[in-house]
């Protein structure tokens, strides 16, 4: 089975909580996800992925600069080879998250990757429910990968 890869920007303790919750959710299904920062991830990771979870902060109504750097490095090497890749996105947003969501979705659409659910936008001050939602996201993606849905 190809791996579940989680690529997340974690500039704060709260975003690290979200990443850990996502990865722990995947582990409940017995999968050990590959967890990377956007700076660690490269095209070779995406070319081997069975499914992908992307986590970003909302910065200036856009995705994080780290995630943009990642997309710039992998876009052309992955363009023809990863069409149909199943992905999920979560955004920790100080505002409404729509700018970050739209910026990621434009690139994902160009890559022809498939969202398995609506992006999870976690807006405003940090709440414990945000980690619960990320945990469910990780568990759902892992289970879908194990069952061959993705």
């Amino acid at each position: 089975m190809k791996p579940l890869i989680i690529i997340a920007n974690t500039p704060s303790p709260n975003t690290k909580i979200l990443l850990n919750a996502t990865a722990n959710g995947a582990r409940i299904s017995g999968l050990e996800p590959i967890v990377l920062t956007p700076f660690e991830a490269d095209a070779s990771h995406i070319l081997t992925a069975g499914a992908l979870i992307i986590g970003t902060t909302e910065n200036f109504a856009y995705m994080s600069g780290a995630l943009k750097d990642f997309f710039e490095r992998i876009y052309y090497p992955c363009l023809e080879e990863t069409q149909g890749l199943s992905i999920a996105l979560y955004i920790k947003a100080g505002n409404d998250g729509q700018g970050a969501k739209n910026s990621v979705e434009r690139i994902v659409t160009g890559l022809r990757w498939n969202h398995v659910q609506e992006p999870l936008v976690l807006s405003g001050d940090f709440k414990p429910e945000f980690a619960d939602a990320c945990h469910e996201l990780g568990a759902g993606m892992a289970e879908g990968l194990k069952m061959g849905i993705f």
Side-chain angles (χ1 to χ4, degrees):
M1 178 174 43
K2 291 184 172 186
L4 171 62
I5 298 178
I6 303 171
I7 299 172
N9 186 44
T10 58
S12 70
N14 287 338
T15 54
K16 288 179 183 168
I17 289 169
L18 299 177
L19 170 60
N20 289 336
T22 304
N24 288 337
R27 291 182 185 109
I28 284 180
S29 292
L31 264 174
E32 185 57 43
I34 297 171
V35 178
L36 303 164
T37 70
F39 295 121
E40 294 169 328
D42 61 34
S44 68
H45 295 107
I46 305 308
L47 291 167
T48 63
L52 178 64
I53 299 174
I54 299 170
T56 188
T57 51
E58 173 190 57
N59 295 356
F60 309 110
Y62 197 74
M63 74 178 93
S64 69
L67 190 61
K68 184 176 184 296
D69 173 79
F70 161 76
F71 279 130
E72 287 177 352
R73 287 183 289 106
I74 65 96
Y75 190 87
Y76 288 107
C78 293
L79 181 60
E80 298 299 323
E81 304 298 320
T82 60
Q83 293 179 19
L85 179 65
S86 295
I87 69 145
L89 169 66
Y90 72 86
I91 300 164
K92 174 55 189 95
N95 294 311
D96 67 4
Q98 293 308 301
K101 177 181 169 234
N102 292 340
S103 63
V104 172
E105 286 184 332
R106 277 192 298 272
I107 295 169
V108 166
T109 297
L111 287 164
R112 296 182 197 100
W113 293 352
N114 296 323
H115 281 281
V116 300
Q117 70 172 48
E118 283 294 312
L120 179 60
V121 179
L122 310 163
S123 298
D125 292 336
F126 188 84
K127 301 175 187 77
E129 298 83 39
F130 292 172
D132 295 341
C134 285
H135 189 272
E136 288 178 20
L137 175 66
M141 287 294 286
E143 198 60 38
L145 187 58
K146 280 178 51 180
M147 295 175 68
I149 296 170
F150 314 133

